[in-house]
Amino acid sequence: MKKGLLVLLFIISIMAGKAQQSLTNGGKLPAEQAIMDIRHYTIALNVDFSQRSIGGYTTIDVIMAQPTKVLLFNLLDSLGVTKVLVNNKSESFEYKNNLISINLKKTLPAGKASILVFYSGKPHVARRPPWDDGFIWSRDSTGHQWMAITAEGAGGKLYFPCKDHPSDEPNEGVDMIITVPKGLIVAGPGLLQSVKTDGDKSTFYWKTNYTINNYSIIFNVGDFAVVTRNYTTVAGHTVPIQFYVLKEHLNKAQHHLDVFVKTIHEQEKYFGEYPWVKEKIGIVETPHLGMEHQTMNAYGNKFRYIKVGGEDYDELMHHEFGHEWWGNKVTAKDWADYWIHEGICSYGDALYIREFDGEEAYNKLFQNSVFHIENTTAIVQHPDLDEESAYIGDIYTKGAFFMHTLRYVMGDSLFFPALKKFVTSPKYTYDNLVSTDDVEQFFTQQEGRDLKPLFEMYLRTTNKLEVHVKQTRLNQYAISLQNISISLPVDITTSEGTKRVILDQKETSVVSNTLPVIDAKTFYLKKVIIE
């Protein structure tokens, strides 16, 4: 179990952190896009497997905060744009450097506008998905076409024109109208509205009304069977679980859903009701390892289970599904705050171990985790960071460990209710994107004292908590914190046993026949200085 969990929390994150991506999104928002509020996307595409190409249109509905003569959208220039309409009128445009610049004949007034872009071509192909983004053109073992998209690093501009920045999501959702060869199935976000077959083509119409991040606006195609069961949420709502599983693996689906239901129950216990109850809980089998996509998580772990609490557990599925809360429901407005997605989600993986293997296994996990924290770069760097720069292994490992420390500092009676309160608060969820400052201020309020020094040390520096131990006389020691201006509880083990002592920069006297051991169970990233 322990080895398996470390694969999820640490090995995968380190590999991801070292992956070299050629594409990224985010960064400094251009002035032309800063005045634009994306409301809705409609994406209508034909998928040609023989040519590995796509073709169709995207409609972008926006609200402009002020008048403009230029509209700017992101789209990888591996595709070709043939025509652009703004409010049903043809406009000239320039398409280069992954940008569509629309030069309007007349000033576009503030308010609502609709932009229609026609395009086609061969989209970028992923080299090492899911860490490298693009289209994955594959076949299952029976020879059927099998296609997936990964876009977390590149963003939605990988295959549709958009405002490709984490600070803006389509508040009114997305319509996806995807045409594929007859016999194949399209899995997408939201709810399936219709399937229409015309000759040798089938068109699947998917619709989500929720706000959704750009990299979740993807679809998958394959020879799928759809295995469905109803799930009753912690709040008593009924929502369908839909597993788009390859037909060749249909015999594995029911057991996999049994495993999945246990994951859903556990996530709801700590983070509240599943966020998308008006739509579905979806997973789709993919030719890549996996990725969080709102209401349709990509699953490629090949039904490899480990044992937790004596029962089957799919650690990768648990992690990706946790992003329904941390990443999809709670979304950082800047990639600089990426740890909120990956660190807290990874902490949620540890909570599964706590729930079913107990507190000791949970503590051992974090004792081992310190050896996988590189701590060479702060996990919250500067604002306006692009995704590739922010995506380091420590956003997983150190981010999760920070939550472990925060739990110890606050105590369970405050920490767990606060964690659930944050992820269920309208102030921090859905349309309301968040920052590290928001998280800090919230937990400070719940704790009733300023936690900024702790947040600063863990998230914005590579410093470790320095604990100074000085022997003052026989069997007596003075212990103090050296580099943080906040009092903290610390477990100190002496010849008399272990006690939790409140330490600060003033010396605290401890009597022991042996050298005191500081924080034996590793609740802190620390450096113990013995004089």
Side-chain angles (χ1 to χ4, degrees):
M1 178 281 302
K2 296 169 189 172
K3 182 179 179 181
L5 185 69
L6 289 174
V7 170
L8 172 63
L9 286 181
F10 309 127
I11 297 175
I12 287 178
S13 68
I14 290 168
M15 288 173 63
K18 291 180 179 177
Q20 295 298 312
Q21 298 183 16
S22 59
L23 307 170
T24 190
N25 73 95
K28 183 69 174 177
L29 188 63
E32 296 89 345
Q33 292 188 335
I35 61 173
M36 179 191 300
D37 177 18
I38 300 292
R39 306 306 298 177
H40 185 270
Y41 292 108
T42 299
I43 302 167
L45 294 172
N46 178 70
V47 181
D48 186 334
F49 281 86
S50 63
Q51 298 299 315
R52 296 190 169 185
S53 66
I54 57 174
Y57 67 85
T58 291
T59 301
I60 311 164
D61 295 315
V62 303
I63 297 177
M64 304 303 299
Q66 62 189 56
T68 185
K69 287 213 70 174
V70 178
L71 292 170
L72 191 66
F73 296 100
N74 307 96
L75 180 67
L76 286 192
D77 51 22
S78 57
L79 299 168
V81 176
T82 56
K83 190 175 184 180
V84 172
L85 302 179
V86 178
N87 293 335
N88 296 317
K89 294 182 180 179
S90 182
E91 297 284 356
S92 63
F93 63 91
E94 186 178 42
Y95 178 35
K96 64 179 182 180
N97 299 325
N98 303 328
L99 290 171
I100 304 172
S101 300
I102 304 169
N103 304 301
L104 301 168
K105 299 182 185 78
K106 296 181 180 180
T107 298
L108 183 69
K112 293 183 179 180
S114 182
I115 299 90
L116 177 58
V117 181
F118 293 89
Y119 61 102
S120 62
K122 294 187 177 183
H124 180 79
V125 174
R127 294 167 300 184
R128 196 164 70 97
W131 298 289
D132 171 74
D133 289 326
F135 275 55
I136 302 107
W137 305 93
S138 184
R139 290 182 183 269
D140 63 25
S141 67
T142 63
H144 290 91
Q145 300 282 1
W146 192 16
M147 193 219 79
I149 304 170
T150 61
E152 186 174 21
K157 69 175 178 294
L158 184 75
Y159 80 99
F160 68 94
C162 59
K163 176 183 174 182
D164 203 16
H165 197 276
S167 63
D168 196 2
E169 300 179 347
N171 308 75
E172 296 160 19
V174 176
D175 287 17
M176 301 188 75
I177 304 161
I178 308 299
T179 300
V180 297
K182 180 182 175 181
L184 294 177
I185 303 293
V186 177
L191 293 175
L192 183 61
Q193 305 297 300
S194 66
V195 181
K196 296 180 180 179
T197 299
D198 183 8
D200 62 352
K201 301 287 185 180
S202 294
T203 299
F204 291 74
Y205 174 21
W206 286 92
K207 182 180 184 65
T208 176
N209 292 308
Y210 286 108
T211 184
I212 183 170
N213 58 56
N214 274 1
Y215 67 82
S216 285
I217 305 172
I218 63 95
F219 60 93
N220 298 270
V221 183
D223 183 37
F224 299 127
V226 185
V227 180
T228 302
R229 68 171 68 172
N230 285 332
Y231 175 81
T232 302
T233 71
V234 70
H237 295 109
T238 300
V239 58
I241 303 174
Q242 296 178 355
F243 184 13
Y244 281 69
V245 61
L246 290 178
K247 288 178 182 176
E248 62 183 277
H249 296 148
L250 183 58
N251 63 331
K252 300 176 183 291
Q254 290 297 344
H255 177 66
H256 192 69
L257 288 183
D258 291 340
V259 174
F260 191 25
V261 164
K262 194 171 182 181
T263 272
I264 302 168
H265 278 307
E266 183 271 337
Q267 300 267 18
E268 285 195 314
K269 174 180 177 178
Y270 287 102
F271 303 143
E273 186 179 38
Y274 174 72
W276 321 106
V277 292
K278 295 178 182 178
E279 295 185 346
K280 69 177 184 302
I281 299 169
I283 50 175
V284 57
E285 195 171 356
T286 57
H288 63 86
L289 192 58
M291 183 62 67
E292 68 271 17
H293 295 136
Q294 189 169 304
T295 73
M296 189 60 85
N297 276 261
Y299 175 76
N301 203 30
K302 300 180 179 179
F303 309 97
R304 291 175 294 205
Y305 307 118
I306 61 173
K307 296 293 184 182
V308 175
E311 296 187 3
D312 283 347
Y313 167 61
D314 194 309
E315 53 191 340
L316 185 62
M317 182 174 66
H318 184 278
H319 178 82
E320 303 303 346
F321 185 68
H323 282 300
E324 296 286 31
W325 287 266
W326 303 104
N328 297 342
K329 184 182 182 184
V330 173
T331 307
K333 66 181 70 173
D334 189 323
W335 287 120
D337 302 302
Y338 209 168
W339 79 275
I340 297 171
H341 297 189
E342 297 296 357
I344 305 181
C345 185
S346 295
Y347 182 72
D349 301 332
L351 291 178
Y352 190 96
I353 302 307
R354 177 179 184 262
E355 188 72 14
F356 295 107
D357 258 353
E359 197 74 34
E360 183 178 352
Y362 162 93
N363 284 333
K364 288 290 185 183
L365 184 154
F366 282 108
Q367 285 179 303
N368 288 328
S369 78
V370 296
F371 302 109
H372 300 272
I373 296 173
E374 294 184 353
N375 208 33
T376 56
T377 302
I379 60 176
V380 178
Q381 301 173 49
H382 55 79
D384 299 325
L385 207 61
D386 65 76
E387 194 272 350
E388 184 176 359
S389 299
Y391 198 43
I392 60 174
D394 279 0
I395 61 174
Y396 294 78
T397 50
K398 193 177 179 185
F401 196 97
F402 172 66
M403 298 305 293
H404 173 60
T405 298
L406 192 60
R407 175 197 171 193
Y408 175 80
V409 170
M410 295 180 68
D412 287 3
S413 63
L414 280 180
F415 174 77
F416 284 119
L419 186 61
K420 184 181 288 187
K421 186 176 179 181
F422 185 88
V423 72
T424 56
S425 169
K427 183 178 179 180
Y428 305 112
T429 53
Y430 299 111
D431 288 351
N432 296 312
L433 309 185
V434 303
S435 67
T436 299
D437 287 343
D438 292 323
V439 180
E440 175 196 312
Q441 290 162 14
F442 175 82
F443 279 96
T444 284
Q445 182 183 43
Q446 300 302 303
E447 168 76 354
R449 65 180 179 130
D450 188 7
L451 293 174
K452 187 177 185 64
L454 193 67
F455 274 76
E456 288 287 321
M457 176 175 285
Y458 270 83
L459 303 179
R460 293 189 170 91
T461 79
T462 57
N463 296 333
K464 295 182 179 181
L465 180 66
E466 294 181 3
V467 186
H468 187 253
V469 180
K470 179 175 67 176
Q471 187 167 9
T472 55
R473 62 182 64 181
L474 185 64
N475 300 334
Q476 189 165 324
Y477 299 84
I479 303 177
S480 61
L481 305 181
Q482 295 289 291
N483 61 340
I484 193 167
S485 58
I486 185 176
S487 60
L488 295 172
V490 179
D491 283 1
I492 300 176
T493 304
T494 69
S495 56
E496 300 299 316
T498 300
K499 292 183 179 180
R500 191 160 299 184
V501 179
I502 303 299
L503 296 180
D504 54 24
Q505 293 185 338
K506 298 178 183 178
E507 292 182 342
T508 295
S509 183
V510 171
V511 175
S512 178
N513 296 332
T514 57
L515 179 67
V517 176
I518 307 300
D519 183 37
K521 290 187 176 180
T522 317
F523 294 110
Y524 292 101
L525 294 178
K526 63 186 180 296
K527 178 181 180 181
V528 179
I529 303 166
I530 300 173
E531 184 178 330

